Amino acid sequence: MNELIVHDTDNTPIYRILLEESFEGLVPLLHSLDVSNRKLCVVSDSVVGELYGKTICEMLKEAGFFSVLFTFPAGEASKNLSTVEGLYDFLIANSFDRNDVLLALGGGVTGDLTGFAAATYLRGIRFVGIPTSLLSMVDSSIGGKTGVDFKAYKNMVGAFYQPSAVYINVNALKTLSEREFLAGMGEVVKHGFIRDFGYYTFLKEQRERILGKDTETLRSMVYRSLCIKKAVVERDPKERGERALLNFGHTIGHAVEKLSNFSMLHGECVSVGMIAAAELSVLRGTLSKEDASRIREMLSSYGMRTKVPALGREDLLSVCHRDKKSDGSKIKFILLDSIGNAFIDSEVSDEEIWTAFQAII
Amino acid sequence: MNELIVHDTDNTPIYRILLEESFEGLVPLLHSLDVSNRKLCVVSDSVVGELYGKTICEMLKEAGFFSVLFTFPAGEASKNLSTVEGLYDFLIANSFDRNDVLLALGGGVTGDLTGFAAATYLRGIRFVGIPTSLLSMVDSSIGGKTGVDFKAYKNMVGAFYQPSAVYINVNALKTLSEREFLAGMGEVVKHGFIRDFGYYTFLKEQRERILGKDTETLRSMVYRSLCIKKAVVERDPKERGERALLNFGHTIGHAVEKLSNFSMLHGECVSVGMIAAAELSVLRGTLSKEDASRIREMLSSYGMRTKVPALGREDLLSVCHRDKKSDGSKIKFILLDSIGNAFIDSEVSDEEIWTAFQAII
């Protein structure tokens, strides 16, 4: 459980994901990537830059690398083209060429925007993901989605672009705030809900160890979540079919996230979005009321968000309809027919969406 | 000679290039691409938008497509992220989703920036190239390079992204200004110089028919140039080796282009850049003086640019060294050992560059 290899659709290995307990292994990983004589730029937000960025940059210099640190203000508000342009400027000022490498050190915002900068600087340079939040470890670090928000639209601008490697220090989870850790747990339990009843059971039984941040339990959890996500994105890298299942909880979740002006974390919105989607599944007659209750109980037992402030019907529905996952005029909802088995439903009515939303206010 | 098919490195067909004599064939081409019920956005600059954009947009509407026209001010100064953001806004306002399609109608600037917008809007939507300048027909429409300039840096931001098809109306060449036509001829004769002595001979012998815009001769010429470029980019899509040969004339050419503040057309700069590169090949002892003279004569006989205003030594060398084609600290020059055979040389000295430059002032 120290390593996974992600493959492309014709089964060629693309990159390794390492699960370690410190940042020490970064140096040998970089040596294995043929980056000798190349420049490295560690990209971090202001918080993670202070916490780990400076130390890692120093560690790389001591190992003989040319290494610089670029930081930007922490928060979703920085995930835009203007921050990316600031990074381009920094790379140009440091004469980075197409053989040099970015290291994305931080959470989902850092990974998404660094990946996008790597995808577009000089038509694409290499980058290594070093996710430090739970959300980014189990979700955004794998699957090749990069991008930034544009105006009020989340991830409106981006590219599918794969990292050269992903390096996970599981112990970085111990420095997360409780709120951020739980936001990541939203995606973790989602993996159980959509694909793996056994994993759901593991998460239910190991709750105390997980919340107590036991290193080995965390490593098992991150590993099992990555295995589920990896299997889905390997079969459907560009989200033409199955990969959409990973959006369970995300349609109403995104709407809530947007209408709250991003005052809630993504994972918190996904948590309530999953409760609403389970409720929709009950309304559509595919999921039992008992399973919907189990889903709510699981989220609640972890202390995750289960309620949001009320929203207007027109606001909610119009944002749902404009969500980028919509295909033509229909909204694709991900529903469940049991815990561990999700499917795509394009026949959900506005009335059903509104009724399901009542379950989370 | 009506069609080519471009393949990827494992020989899978990616897209078709059609060579036609009007824009009529666009409708059947679009029908073959499975775009029924999809929205189309024709992207053009202010000049080509007036000349062809409105008519084509109307033609598509009459054929039953949802079709809108986006135009931006003509010129290299528009090739930046701000124009791309304007296009994102336009697509959002027209509710374009990930299944909709952009049509890049125009020259290299339009193709590069539309391709980049397509590569990055919602992490990638389809686009069809409809090159109308000679330069874009034989060069930028094939090979998957998209991008925009950033600050003073040409093509600093971009992506490798393939069109779904390329549609060429050879007769569009007849509405080009003489200056633009000749700028494109720079890339055409380059194809002969670097790869194909027979094509060089064709261009020498057919000069009058080409300059007289004979439709069949133009079609043969565009077809032969595309075949040469296609063979190179199919073998080396990401410019890791052989594709660099297409940069013959481009290192000094780019420097001249930049130091003249883009007052000269790209093709004009390539023309003088090729004379300088041939001179460099003579200095390095690989090309005969006779062949270098033939190259200058060919360019001169077509009325292409052979001289530029004087530049400062430091300016020229520093821009050459910062050119993005540099690999680490060395400049990769493309030199010739005969007409029809180019190679990469990384050992050119600053003194040799400066001496070669004297041949074009």
Side-chain angles (χ1 to χ4, degrees):
Chain A
M1 297 201 303
N2 290 324
E3 179 170 343
L4 291 94
I5 297 177
V6 181
H7 299 79
D8 68 13
T9 39
D10 60 7
N11 215 29
T12 315
I14 332 179
Y15 60 93
R16 290 196 297 161
I17 304 179
L18 299 183
L19 280 88
E20 302 283 347
E21 294 177 19
S22 77
F23 290 112
E24 298 290 314
L26 254 178
V27 171
L29 172 68
L30 288 169
H31 281 303
S32 77
L33 291 178
D34 184 27
V35 296
S36 51
N37 298 320
R38 299 306 173 194
K39 292 175 178 173
L40 307 177
C41 177
V42 178
V43 182
S44 262
D45 70 23
S46 45
V47 175
V48 178
E50 263 321 304
L51 192 60
Y52 299 123
K54 290 179 178 175
T55 326
I56 287 177
C57 205
E58 283 310 308
M59 179 183 83
L60 296 173
K61 279 181 195 164
E62 276 167 32
F65 290 103
F66 174 99
S67 172
V68 287
L69 176 66
F70 175 84
T71 58
F72 59 86
E76 180 84 21
S78 289
K79 191 176 160 181
N80 56 40
L81 286 173
S82 151
T83 307
V84 173
E85 290 187 36
L87 178 49
Y88 294 149
D89 275 328
F90 186 79
L91 296 173
I92 292 169
N94 284 285
S95 303
F96 271 58
D97 72 24
R98 47 190 269 192
N99 296 298
D100 298 327
V101 184
L102 307 186
L103 309 183
L105 175 71
V109 169
T110 303
D112 284 4
L113 89 77
T114 307
F116 183 65
T120 53
Y121 183 72
L122 294 174
R123 297 200 191 94
I125 63 174
R126 291 177 292 176
F127 82 107
V128 172
I130 313 174
T132 57
S133 72
L134 180 54
L135 184 67
S136 59
M137 286 182 193
V138 299
D139 186 35
S140 53
S141 73
I142 177 174
K145 283 188 179 179
T146 73
V148 295
D149 305 331
F150 181 72
K151 310 280 169 84
Y153 302 93
K154 259 185 80 77
N155 298 319
M156 199 71 194
V157 172
F160 283 97
Y161 195 72
Q162 304 295 344
S164 296
V166 174
Y167 185 94
I168 294 176
N169 168 9
V170 176
N171 279 324
L173 294 175
K174 296 179 183 170
T175 56
L176 289 181
S177 71
E178 209 51 24
R179 187 183 175 201
E180 277 182 303
F181 184 78
L182 289 181
M185 283 304 296
E187 300 285 343
V188 168
V189 297
K190 181 193 78 181
H191 289 142
F193 294 157
I194 62 167
R195 262 281 175 262
D196 190 339
F197 186 79
Y199 187 43
Y200 159 80
T201 310
F202 166 89
L203 293 169
K204 200 169 152 183
E205 287 170 354
Q206 301 294 321
R207 183 169 55 87
E208 287 195 22
R209 281 209 180 83
I210 290 167
L211 291 176
K213 311 274 168 67
D214 173 65
T215 305
E216 270 318 303
T217 312
L218 289 177
R219 190 210 291 261
S220 301
M221 179 182 88
V222 171
Y223 183 84
R224 289 185 73 164
S225 262
L226 281 171
C227 287
I228 292 171
K229 174 136 190 193
K230 170 176 126 75
V232 173
V233 298
E234 281 179 344
R235 280 191 295 262
D236 178 21
K238 294 283 177 75
E239 198 169 323
R240 293 286 160 198
E242 177 184 354
R243 182 165 177 169
L245 300 182
L246 294 168
N247 295 325
F248 179 62
H250 280 59
T251 303
I252 291 176
H254 274 164
V256 166
E257 194 171 6
K258 193 179 163 195
L259 293 169
S260 73
N261 286 315
F262 301 96
S263 62
M264 285 188 269
L265 296 177
H266 176 72
E268 295 176 319
C269 299
V270 169
S271 178
V272 292
M274 289 192 290
I275 294 174
E279 206 59 42
L280 260 180
S281 308
V282 174
L283 286 173
R284 303 275 303 154
T286 61
L287 189 72
S288 70
K289 281 192 176 175
E290 293 68 30
D291 274 354
S293 299
R294 284 193 191 102
I295 284 171
R296 185 192 285 267
E297 275 158 28
M298 164 78 100
L299 294 163
S300 168
S301 77
Y302 268 95
M304 280 183 253
R305 187 137 191 167
T306 57
K307 296 280 182 191
V308 290
L311 296 173
R313 180 186 158 112
E314 288 317 308
D315 287 345
L316 177 76
L317 293 175
S318 86
V319 177
C320 283
H321 278 281
R322 298 198 67 162
D323 188 88
K324 72 184 189 315
K325 266 97 190 173
S326 67
D327 175 3
S329 60
K330 292 174 189 165
I331 306 180
K332 279 191 206 169
F333 263 95
I334 312 305
L335 302 184
L336 299 179
D337 56 24
S338 61
I339 292 176
N341 200 26
F343 65 99
I344 300 173
D345 187 331
S346 300
E347 303 298 325
V348 174
S349 71
D350 285 358
E351 197 50 45
E352 288 167 326
I353 296 173
W354 183 242
T355 308
F357 181 70
Q358 306 310 309
I360 56 171
I361 57 173
Chain B
M1 297 202 306
N2 290 323
E3 180 170 343
L4 289 93
I5 297 178
V6 181
H7 299 79
D8 69 12
T9 41
D10 59 8
N11 215 29
T12 316
I14 333 177
Y15 59 93
R16 292 195 295 160
I17 304 179
L18 299 184
L19 279 86
E20 303 282 348
E21 294 177 18
S22 77
F23 289 113
E24 298 290 315
L26 254 178
V27 171
L29 172 68
L30 288 168
H31 281 304
S32 77
L33 290 177
D34 185 27
V35 296
S36 50
N37 298 320
R38 299 306 173 194
K39 292 176 179 171
L40 307 177
C41 178
V42 178
V43 182
S44 262
D45 70 23
S46 45
V47 174
V48 179
E50 264 320 304
L51 191 60
Y52 300 122
K54 289 179 178 175
T55 326
I56 288 178
C57 205
E58 283 311 308
M59 178 183 84
L60 296 173
K61 279 181 194 162
E62 276 166 31
F65 290 104
F66 174 99
S67 172
V68 286
L69 175 67
F70 175 83
T71 58
F72 60 87
E76 179 84 21
S78 289
K79 190 177 161 181
N80 56 39
L81 287 172
S82 155
T83 307
V84 174
E85 291 186 36
L87 178 51
Y88 293 150
D89 274 327
F90 185 79
L91 296 174
I92 292 169
N94 284 285
S95 302
F96 270 59
D97 74 23
R98 48 189 267 189
N99 296 299
D100 297 327
V101 183
L102 307 187
L103 309 184
L105 175 72
V109 169
T110 303
D112 284 4
L113 90 76
T114 307
F116 183 65
T120 53
Y121 183 72
L122 294 173
R123 296 199 192 94
I125 64 173
R126 291 177 292 176
F127 82 106
V128 173
I130 314 174
T132 57
S133 72
L134 180 55
L135 183 68
S136 59
M137 286 183 193
V138 298
D139 186 37
S140 56
S141 72
I142 176 174
K145 284 189 177 178
T146 73
V148 294
D149 305 331
F150 181 72
K151 309 280 170 87
Y153 301 94
K154 261 186 79 76
N155 298 319
M156 200 70 194
V157 172
F160 283 97
Y161 196 71
Q162 304 295 343
S164 297
V166 174
Y167 185 93
I168 294 175
N169 169 8
V170 177
N171 280 323
L173 294 175
K174 297 179 183 172
T175 57
L176 288 181
S177 72
E178 210 49 27
R179 187 183 176 200
E180 277 182 303
F181 184 78
L182 289 181
M185 283 304 297
E187 300 285 343
V188 168
V189 297
K190 182 193 77 180
H191 290 142
F193 293 157
I194 63 168
R195 262 282 174 263
D196 190 339
F197 186 80
Y199 187 43
Y200 159 79
T201 309
F202 166 89
L203 294 170
K204 203 168 149 182
E205 288 170 354
Q206 301 294 321
R207 185 170 54 89
E208 287 194 22
R209 280 209 181 83
I210 290 167
L211 291 177
K213 311 276 168 65
D214 173 66
T215 304
E216 271 317 304
T217 312
L218 289 176
R219 191 210 291 262
S220 300
M221 179 183 88
V222 171
Y223 183 84
R224 288 185 73 165
S225 261
L226 282 169
C227 287
I228 292 171
K229 175 137 189 192
K230 171 176 127 74
V232 173
V233 299
E234 281 180 344
R235 281 191 295 260
D236 178 22
K238 293 283 176 73
E239 197 169 323
R240 293 288 161 198
E242 178 185 353
R243 183 165 177 169
L245 301 182
L246 294 167
N247 295 325
F248 178 63
H250 280 60
T251 303
I252 291 177
H254 275 162
V256 166
E257 193 171 5
K258 193 178 162 195
L259 292 169
S260 73
N261 286 315
F262 301 97
S263 63
M264 284 187 270
L265 296 178
H266 175 72
E268 295 176 320
C269 300
V270 170
S271 177
V272 292
M274 289 191 292
I275 294 174
E279 206 58 41
L280 260 180
S281 308
V282 174
L283 285 173
R284 303 276 303 154
T286 61
L287 189 71
S288 69
K289 281 192 177 174
E290 291 69 31
D291 275 352
S293 298
R294 284 192 191 103
I295 284 171
R296 186 193 285 267
E297 276 157 28
M298 163 80 101
L299 294 163
S300 169
S301 76
Y302 270 95
M304 281 184 254
R305 187 138 191 164
T306 57
K307 295 280 181 190
V308 291
L311 296 173
R313 180 188 159 111
E314 288 318 306
D315 288 346
L316 177 76
L317 293 173
S318 86
V319 177
C320 283
H321 278 282
R322 297 198 70 163
D323 188 88
K324 71 185 191 316
K325 266 94 189 177
S326 68
D327 174 4
S329 60
K330 292 175 191 164
I331 307 179
K332 280 192 207 168
F333 263 94
I334 312 305
L335 302 183
L336 299 180
D337 55 24
S338 60
I339 292 176
N341 200 26
F343 66 98
I344 299 172
D345 187 331
S346 302
E347 304 298 326
V348 174
S349 71
D350 285 359
E351 198 49 45
E352 288 167 326
I353 297 173
W354 183 240
T355 307
F357 180 70
Q358 305 311 308
I360 56 171
I361 57 174

